[in-house]
Amino acid sequence: MIQNIKISTFVIKRSLKMFCILTGVAVITWSFSYTKHSSTLGRRLNGALGRRLSGSHLLSLDIADNHDIPIIFIITPTYYRLVQKAELTRMANTLRLVKQLHWIIVEDFEVINLKTQELFQSTGLSFTYFAQTKRNTTKNHIKGADQRNAALDLIMANHNPSIPAVIYFADDDNTYSLEIFEQMRYTKKLSMWPVGLSGGRTYETPIIKDGKVIKFLAWKSETRKFPIDMAGFALNAKVLWTYNPMRFSTDADSGMLETKLLEKCCAVEEIEPLADNCSKVLVWHTRTQKPQVRIFDNSLEV
Ligand code: UGA
Ligand code: MN
């Protein structure tokens, strides 16, 4: 079986031990008390932190060689908080039901978490997991932009653009139907669909007339050219090369991240409406409540 993409990856049905033997990368572990994202909770990882594993250390992607259907690259920034493992488990359980998919998870920190990596390995999914910190120049309110940009760099460095692929920015706390993945897979340039529970409304959506997007029902639709949440669109991977550099702006105002990216490559007339002409909600911008924990016991990793 020929590998149809070369993107380096870190998993792929191999044990960490095997990885160390093959690459000679010594994985450093140490106990660590981590308070960056939650000063009151703190974090004891019981030796669960690894190196920031960058592309050059990663193994080759093990996606099945199936030229009939495009690859879906899922890009997920993530960061430590008590619900992280639960969110990623739920998301992995969805993604493992989607074929020809490569999941790029980017930890917003200096190093990856080996426990989290074990979780990805146990899913059997084809994935790349690495760490990328937020840059000093990035505005404080911006979440996940440097991490998504690093994932886009990784794709460009490793994927052959002549192989059909799409890119979807899937945050770790949303809810995804399986149907949306099969629909986005064939995105020609930019596809869009409604997002439930988004922008302070029951849903945000493009409005379609004669198969074309004519306007949007969304927060700030007057001032945002593409007023849609990150969960509501997919891009054909080729746009990365055609409109290079396609990267998230790290000084965007609140809520402008998506539109600023899409304005670099696309016109509203080019949007392909999915989800039955945007008549169905197939993804939800869910948010997980912060747990009210009074007793901290680090004997078990939650
Ligand atoms: C909304 C949009 O749905 C996001 O796509 C957008 O990035 C975000 O706003 C924004 O303001 O920039 P929201 O639910 O408010 O999403 O954001 P989160 O779900 O908290 O974060 C988005 C993603 O970034 C998640 O995957 C989260 O794990 C990750 N994140 C968040 C980090 O990597 N680091 C952080 O410090 C915070
Ligand atoms: Mn969210």
Side-chain angles (χ1 to χ4, degrees):
M1 192 183 297
I2 306 158
Q3 285 186 339
N4 60 354
I5 54 175
K6 284 189 189 154
I7 183 163
S8 301
T9 188
F10 185 56
V11 169
I12 328 208
K13 298 166 198 157
R14 286 172 216 219
S15 67
L16 176 64
K17 194 174 164 194
M18 195 62 182
F19 171 76
C20 293
I21 292 165
L22 287 175
T23 63
V25 173
V27 178
I28 300 166
T29 62
W30 65 94
S31 290
F32 189 80
S33 186
Y34 174 54
T35 54
K36 182 180 167 198
H37 295 290
S38 176
S39 52
T40 49
L41 300 184
R43 179 197 206 188
R44 292 196 195 285
L45 285 165
N46 302 323
L49 291 180
R51 271 190 180 167
R52 175 188 186 275
L53 288 157
S54 61
S56 58
H57 296 288
L58 304 174
L59 299 176
S60 300
L61 175 63
D62 192 17
I63 264 186
D65 182 25
N66 182 347
H67 291 283
D68 296 340
I69 57 169
I71 297 159
I72 301 177
F73 286 113
I74 302 287
I75 296 179
T76 304
T78 189
Y79 69 109
Y80 179 74
R81 71 274 194 203
L82 276 178
V83 297
Q84 182 185 27
K85 195 173 170 192
E87 307 268 38
L88 291 170
T89 299
R90 186 172 47 203
M91 192 166 173
N93 285 346
T94 302
L95 297 185
R96 70 208 298 177
L97 299 172
V98 183
K99 54 185 181 285
Q100 192 80 341
L101 176 145
H102 185 77
W103 191 14
I104 303 173
I105 314 101
V106 191
E107 185 78 42
D108 181 357
F109 195 50
E110 278 99 16
V111 287
I112 60 163
N113 180 342
L114 296 181
K115 295 278 186 199
T116 310
Q117 176 197 291
E118 275 170 27
L119 160 67
F120 300 134
Q121 283 173 324
S122 73
T123 65
L125 277 159
S126 169
F127 74 89
T128 301
Y129 175 44
F130 67 99
Q132 171 68 53
T133 46
K134 191 172 182 167
R135 289 188 300 166
N136 290 337
T137 48
T138 301
K139 280 191 179 171
N140 272 342
H141 65 265
I142 291 187
K143 301 172 205 161
D146 291 314
Q147 291 70 32
R148 294 186 190 102
N149 286 344
L152 293 171
D153 290 345
L154 187 88
I155 292 173
M156 284 194 83
N158 294 282
H159 176 66
N160 174 350
S162 67
I163 295 167
V166 298
I167 293 167
Y168 181 48
F169 301 103
D171 292 346
D172 59 6
D173 55 343
N174 294 335
T175 307
Y176 306 95
S177 71
L178 294 179
E179 207 181 328
I180 197 61
F181 295 105
E182 292 321 314
Q183 295 202 19
M184 73 170 75
R185 195 187 286 284
Y186 300 96
T187 298
K188 292 186 208 71
K189 188 173 183 185
L190 167 66
S191 58
M192 262 184 211
W193 52 85
V195 178
L197 313 174
S198 181
R201 316 174 56 106
T202 44
Y203 61 89
E204 292 184 293
T205 186
I207 302 289
I208 314 300
K209 191 172 175 219
D210 300 329
K212 292 275 174 202
V213 176
I214 51 161
K215 60 179 181 171
F216 294 82
L217 215 54
W219 176 69
K220 282 201 180 167
S221 58
E222 317 76 35
T223 48
R224 299 193 298 164
K225 189 170 173 193
F226 294 95
I228 192 81
D229 184 79
M230 204 70 75
F233 68 89
L235 286 163
N236 188 300
K238 275 196 181 133
V239 301
L240 293 186
W241 283 265
T242 312
Y243 300 92
N244 191 26
M246 279 286 290
R247 297 294 183 275
F248 286 96
S249 129
T250 50
D251 64 354
D253 289 336
S254 224
M256 300 304 280
L257 218 48
E258 296 88 344
T259 192
K260 283 191 93 173
L261 179 80
L262 297 180
E263 284 169 28
K264 293 181 192 197
C265 63
C266 300
V268 170
E269 303 78 60
E270 293 177 297
I271 299 170
E272 300 160 49
L274 300 184
D276 283 353
N277 257 341
C278 295
S279 65
K280 282 184 182 165
V281 173
L282 299 177
V283 298
W284 295 263
H285 186 253
T286 42
R287 286 177 134 164
T288 304
Q289 193 185 354
K290 194 174 171 188
Q292 302 299 311
V293 176
R294 286 173 292 105
I295 297 166
F296 286 91
D297 180 343
N298 294 308
S299 317
L300 297 181
E301 176 93 1
V302 290

